Amino acid sequence: LRSPVIRTTCLLVAGLILVSLLVVAWSPARIGAASSGATPTRPAPRAELAADQLLNSARLAGDYLARQTREDGRFIYRYNAQTDRMVRDYNILRHAGTTYSMFELYRHTGDRHLRDAATRAVDYLLAQVRPWHPEAKTQSVVVERGEAKLGGAGLALVALAEYTRTTGDEQHLPVMVRLARWIQGQIAEDDGRFIAYKYKYPSLERTDFVSLYYNGEAMLGLMRLYELTGDETLVDSCEAAANYLITIRDGGLSDDELPPDHWLLYALNELHAVRPRDLYLDHAMRIAHAMVRAQLPADTRPGAWAGGWGTPPRSTPAACRTEGLGAAYPLARRAGRLSDAAAFRLSIDSGVRFQLRTQIRERAEANLRNHARAVGGFRESLDSWMVQIDYVQHNLSSIISLYEIVRDAQ
């Protein structure tokens, strides 16, 4: 660099590089996006997840759940895959949701081993059903540890409806009708709200417990029974509850204040298919777009977090959101909202990619004590080796949702 000519040439080249970088950085398009507050366009994945890849992951998850199903129909509820130790705990709502996901997978695979395990889980669930009270034998509830919950009846309906749909066996319809009648009786006639989420049983004393998800679980249960029976009163009840949630509970909330309620998205999709009101469509689109905006983008660091939600992201919150988006996707397409559907599909794909990083595969990266038991399960997060049945349930259901989208597009 002692030559004046060489020194001058180097300075000119450096200046040109700097100017070109400034032009790109301050281009009108970038300035407009920054000043308008618009959400940056998400880069499309390099290649879509293939249908066979998704179904293989789902099969692994189903095999895990089948192995965790005891002879009496109970699941090994919580499991530390690193230490190969089971944790004593239980939740009948998660039992019902897990049973639903197993029959959902059975519908695609026809795996008799999976069906047998899921049928044992149905038998255990039915053993927890009790009459609401001696004078109300037409209504039933699901009871666990002296409590009857709205979500318990709702998810029992969802599970039993999937059993009936996939097997063609209608023997449990009378129980399902009694569960539905109890749910319908919990809807206030004046405004459509559910009057209580949890009761003590058998005293029937109301508690102050509130759940975000029980509303959607109960509504979805009613819609799934309607698909089997055609009873329009079930849709009437679901519609009353939806009107309350949209206009009163969520009334006045901004889009990003809306709760990320995946069960409500399931229910609104199915309600709108029968009674296509813009109220249901618009609310579902608002919830779904809020989910998309909250998703960690592709350039997130560490890169393994990309596609998740929250910091650090966990597998089940991600799966619940991709489940919800999986319900919003067909709703958007049915309503002709194709750009919305495309955005949801990209978000689902990115979310499921994150979720698959938490699944314990055939060749695990850690030295697990009992790899054969753990394989197929979904870990709580990238930093935790805890596996719980609802972690697997939600991940399985969301992967099946994306599998159906990819398969149907082929």
Side-chain angles (χ1 to χ4, degrees):
L1 295 177
R2 292 180 180 179
S3 168
V5 174
I6 295 176
R7 188 164 54 244
T8 301
T9 301
C10 290
L11 289 173
L12 285 172
V13 171
L16 288 171
I17 293 172
L18 178 60
V19 169
S20 64
L21 289 174
L22 288 173
V23 168
V24 171
W26 293 97
S27 65
R30 288 176 177 254
I31 294 171
S35 62
S36 67
T39 302
T41 302
R42 292 178 181 273
R46 286 176 293 181
E48 288 184 344
L49 291 167
D52 58 350
Q53 178 184 359
L54 294 165
L55 189 58
N56 287 340
S57 171
R59 286 180 184 273
L60 281 177
D63 290 344
Y64 173 85
L65 292 175
R67 291 195 305 274
Q68 304 303 101
T69 311
R70 301 180 189 270
E71 285 303 312
D72 65 358
R74 281 172 60 99
F75 294 104
I76 296 173
Y77 178 75
R78 187 169 169 83
Y79 171 65
N80 187 319
Q82 197 165 42
T83 63
D84 193 35
R85 297 187 63 180
M86 278 71 79
V87 180
R88 294 179 61 86
D89 197 0
Y90 219 72
N91 183 297
I92 196 64
L93 276 73
R94 290 167 178 165
H95 175 107
T98 300
T99 305
Y100 161 68
S101 71
M102 294 170 75
F103 278 110
E104 193 179 20
L105 177 60
Y106 172 72
R107 177 160 39 90
H108 292 286
T109 66
D111 183 337
R112 290 301 300 265
H113 179 60
L114 178 67
R115 172 180 169 168
D116 291 346
T119 300
R120 296 198 304 274
V122 163
D123 292 340
Y124 180 84
L125 175 61
L126 290 168
Q128 317 313 311
V129 176
R130 302 285 185 274
W132 176 226
H133 59 78
E135 287 75 37
K137 295 183 179 179
T138 59
Q139 298 181 21
S140 292
V141 291
V142 176
V143 178
E144 182 180 45
R145 293 190 290 269
E147 295 177 341
K149 301 175 182 178
L150 178 68
L155 287 180
L157 265 179
V158 172
L160 293 171
E162 193 67 17
Y163 168 86
T164 305
R165 176 187 179 188
T166 57
T167 66
D169 180 359
E170 298 183 346
Q171 65 170 310
H172 302 314
L173 277 174
V175 177
M176 297 166 68
V177 170
R178 293 196 296 272
L179 290 167
R181 294 293 176 251
W182 180 77
I183 291 173
Q184 291 178 291
Q186 297 302 302
I187 299 175
E189 294 184 1
D190 56 344
D191 61 6
R193 63 186 168 82
F194 286 104
I195 59 178
Y197 294 94
K198 183 169 69 176
Y199 292 86
K200 295 181 180 179
Y201 189 91
S203 70
L204 311 187
E205 178 185 349
R206 293 186 192 178
T207 72
D208 295 330
F209 175 79
V210 175
S211 168
L212 168 64
Y213 300 116
Y214 286 7
N215 301 282
E217 291 166 348
M219 292 164 61
L220 180 60
L222 296 178
M223 292 307 302
R224 292 292 171 89
L225 182 57
Y226 164 76
E227 291 173 7
L228 296 173
T229 66
D231 180 357
E232 290 286 341
T233 70
L234 299 168
V235 185
D236 294 339
S237 297
C238 186
E239 191 164 35
N243 292 341
Y244 168 79
L245 293 173
I246 295 170
T247 63
I248 299 178
R249 187 196 73 174
D250 295 346
L253 296 180
S254 70
D255 289 2
D256 291 328
E257 290 174 327
L258 293 173
D261 190 345
H262 59 290
W263 289 115
L264 181 57
L265 285 175
Y266 270 118
L268 289 177
N269 173 42
E270 300 191 13
L271 176 60
H272 183 270
V274 179
R275 298 186 181 172
R277 294 182 59 193
D278 287 344
L279 180 70
Y280 310 141
L281 170 65
D282 293 343
H283 198 67
M285 295 299 99
R286 291 178 63 203
I287 295 172
H289 278 295
M291 289 178 173
V292 173
R293 285 192 296 274
Q295 188 173 29
L296 297 177
D299 59 357
T300 296
R301 291 293 178 268
W305 289 10
W309 279 264
T311 51
R314 292 176 291 126
S315 66
T316 305
C320 289
R321 285 159 176 79
T322 52
E323 274 186 278
L325 292 168
Y329 174 83
L331 172 55
R333 286 185 58 84
R334 193 170 61 243
R337 305 273 288 262
L338 299 186
S339 62
D340 293 330
F344 301 157
R345 179 168 176 173
L346 282 177
S347 182
I348 297 167
D349 186 279
S350 180
V352 169
R353 287 173 187 272
F354 165 75
Q355 293 162 225
L356 292 177
R357 296 181 201 122
T358 70
Q359 187 174 29
I360 302 171
R361 311 294 294 188
E362 293 95 330
R363 295 183 178 180
E365 63 273 21
N367 185 20
L368 304 182
R369 291 195 175 183
N370 190 343
H371 182 263
R373 187 201 299 273
V375 66
F378 281 85
R379 300 156 54 189
E380 183 176 21
S381 70
L382 295 170
D383 299 319
S384 169
W385 287 92
M386 294 302 300
V387 181
Q388 196 164 282
I389 57 172
D390 56 311
Y391 304 168
V392 184
Q393 165 210 332
H394 289 294
N395 280 279
L396 175 55
S397 288
S398 67
I399 289 168
I400 291 172
S401 175
L402 181 56
Y403 165 75
E404 292 173 345
I405 291 171
V406 174
R407 179 203 61 192
D408 293 346
Q410 290 177 343

